[in-house]
Amino acid sequence: MKKLFIYHPLFRILSPIFIGVIVYLLILLINNNTDQIQEQFLGQELYVCIVLSYLIQELSIFLLWIFQKYKLAKSELSTLVLQVLASLVLCILVVTTAMILYFKFVLGFSPNSEELWVFNSIFSSICLIYISLYVSHQYLHSVNSKKLAYELLLKQNVEDEFLQFEKAINPTLLFESLDTLIILLHQNKDKTDDFLDCLGRVYRYILSTKNRELVTTDEEISNLHEFVKLFNYLPHRKLVLNARITTTSLTVPNSLLYIIEQIMRSSIRSEKAELELSLEEQKNTLTLKYVAVDRVNDELTVQKLSKLNNVYQIYSIERLTVHNEHSERIITIPKLEIAPTP
């Protein structure tokens, strides 16, 4: 939200001039001296009102800055009450001091209580107007911030639902599978049943884990083998998966499936060549290794796994990493465990 207009330099320069003129006219009306407007409008009393307007304005802005920067009270209501009292007291002190000095050293006599009351009432009202502008601006900013946060939350929910839908359906894999099914129906009907069984098991797992936060690594790897088998029907590089996992841990559903799919789609296509994947277990991570054969300008990087990294951030401070050692690419995946209850 934009800064409050009372802080704008042009407003701070021009507004006291208009306020000073209005104060001068009010004082003349109160004292029934309207004839002086025609006789000597640009008198020294007008300049005194303008100077006082500058003093009150800068004092009010300074106090607003003080109360905004330093929390001088616990609640917002007590802060507002304290701010109003402090502003009024300082305003009265400044106006009273200025009028006594002006009357004594310029006019040669002391002001009476009625004159001081008139000046203090008018300038105190101006001080309250500055506070009202600030409070209304803060309230409007708070309301708009809540509405904006709510709109951003709705947008994020829509995006998350779309990503969840895309993750569950995986339209690219589905369309490739349907294309492969058509080819098998014409060229090799004997493999059709096996292909459909494999496709059904893969999508059954993807859809069944859609609403689950975590699954065991064993369950993920078991379905990963089915996923690899399905991918070997598609016109990509053939996969060979060697998984050596002995301990039980947790992982995000479909995370290994997603990573291997990204590996396949970033590798050079070949229906005859194989790509060997090695899934090993470290103390706190799972390590996926393979010899990279990247397509031109399509190298697998950690940025391509950013969506998955965002999910893992919910459960672990560790992140997925991707690094190369000579021709071998190594992807590390955090192992997740349920913290023991105290």
Side-chain angles (χ1 to χ4, degrees):
M1 193 171 181
K2 292 184 178 180
K3 199 173 183 181
L4 182 57
F5 65 89
I6 64 173
Y7 296 109
H8 195 279
L10 190 62
F11 178 85
R12 294 174 68 173
I13 293 172
L14 297 178
S15 65
I17 298 175
F18 294 102
I19 293 174
V21 172
I22 293 173
V23 171
Y24 179 59
L25 293 175
L26 284 174
I27 292 173
L28 291 179
L29 289 172
I30 292 173
N31 294 327
N32 200 20
N33 290 330
T34 54
D35 294 338
Q36 190 175 346
I37 299 176
Q38 297 177 349
E39 296 174 2
Q40 190 179 1
F41 179 76
L42 298 177
Q44 61 183 5
E45 290 85 358
L46 173 62
Y47 301 130
V48 171
C49 291
I50 293 174
V51 171
L52 274 176
S53 298
Y54 272 109
L55 290 176
I56 297 305
Q57 173 186 264
E58 296 306 313
L59 175 65
S60 300
I61 292 175
F62 175 73
L63 287 175
L64 291 176
W65 178 79
I66 289 293
F67 279 91
Q68 184 179 12
K69 186 174 182 179
Y70 302 102
K71 300 297 181 181
L72 303 179
K74 294 182 179 180
S75 64
E76 293 184 0
L77 180 60
S78 56
T79 300
L80 179 61
V81 172
L82 184 61
Q83 185 175 352
V84 170
L85 291 177
S87 299
L88 290 178
V89 169
L90 289 177
C91 177
I92 292 172
L93 287 176
V94 169
V95 172
T96 302
T97 303
M99 296 312 300
I100 290 175
L101 292 176
Y102 172 73
F103 273 80
K104 184 175 181 180
F105 292 102
V106 177
L107 300 181
F109 59 92
S110 298
N112 56 41
S113 59
E114 183 180 352
E115 291 172 328
L116 291 178
W117 184 88
V118 170
F119 276 94
N120 283 315
S121 298
I122 295 174
F123 283 105
S124 295
S125 301
I126 295 172
C127 188
L128 289 175
I129 290 174
Y130 280 111
I131 297 175
S132 300
L133 287 172
Y134 173 76
V135 172
S136 60
H137 176 268
Q138 291 298 103
Y139 175 75
L140 182 62
H141 175 70
S142 176
V143 171
N144 288 341
S145 297
K146 291 179 180 179
K147 289 184 177 180
L148 182 60
Y150 179 70
E151 292 295 331
L152 291 175
L153 181 60
L154 289 178
K155 179 184 176 182
Q156 186 64 41
N157 288 338
V158 172
E159 291 177 351
D160 290 343
E161 288 177 2
F162 177 76
L163 290 175
Q164 187 67 25
F165 171 79
E166 186 181 26
K167 174 186 172 185
I169 299 302
N170 197 341
T172 304
L173 177 62
L174 180 60
F175 291 144
E176 285 183 348
S177 300
L178 294 176
D179 291 339
T180 302
L181 178 60
I182 294 172
I183 294 172
L184 289 176
L185 287 172
H186 286 85
Q187 297 181 357
N188 195 340
K189 292 183 179 181
D190 295 337
K191 293 184 178 180
T192 303
D193 291 339
D194 183 59
F195 174 77
L196 288 175
D197 289 340
C198 185
L199 179 63
R201 285 192 291 268
V202 168
Y203 268 91
R204 191 178 299 113
Y205 173 70
I206 292 174
L207 295 174
S208 65
T209 58
K210 182 176 64 174
N211 297 321
R212 295 171 62 183
E213 294 186 9
L214 298 173
V215 296
T216 62
T217 308
D218 293 339
E219 184 180 0
E220 179 81 1
I221 293 174
S222 175
N223 288 276
L224 183 60
H225 285 289
E226 294 294 330
F227 186 75
V228 170
K229 185 178 178 181
L230 174 64
F231 243 110
N232 285 337
Y233 278 102
L234 305 181
H236 294 281
R237 189 173 291 266
K238 303 308 176 185
L239 285 176
V240 178
L241 178 63
N242 297 316
R244 293 182 288 272
I245 307 296
T246 57
T247 61
T248 301
S249 60
L250 299 174
T251 188
V252 175
N254 306 314
S255 56
L256 294 177
L257 278 64
Y258 179 79
I259 292 172
I260 289 183
E261 183 176 358
Q262 296 306 311
I263 292 173
M264 290 300 301
R265 298 197 183 282
S266 62
S267 300
I268 297 174
R269 289 193 176 192
S270 175
E271 296 186 19
K272 296 181 180 179
E274 292 183 345
L275 182 62
E276 185 173 352
L277 303 172
S278 178
L279 184 60
E280 300 175 354
E281 184 179 23
Q282 306 296 329
K283 182 179 181 181
N284 297 316
T285 60
L286 299 177
T287 304
L288 185 62
K289 301 179 181 179
Y290 68 99
V291 177
V293 281
D294 296 321
R295 301 170 63 182
V296 178
N297 296 327
D298 196 17
E299 179 182 346
L300 179 63
T301 60
V302 72
Q303 284 75 22
K304 287 190 175 182
L305 304 178
S306 59
K307 293 180 181 178
L308 197 56
N309 243 332
N310 292 337
V311 178
Y312 268 94
Q313 276 188 310
I314 301 174
Y315 306 104
S316 173
I317 60 174
E318 303 295 332
R319 297 176 64 86
L320 278 78
T321 62
V322 179
H323 63 278
N324 299 320
E325 291 185 3
H326 305 294
S327 62
E328 190 175 53
R329 179 164 295 135
I330 302 174
I331 303 173
T332 58
I333 308 154
K335 290 169 63 176
L336 304 177
E337 295 181 356
I338 298 177
T341 54

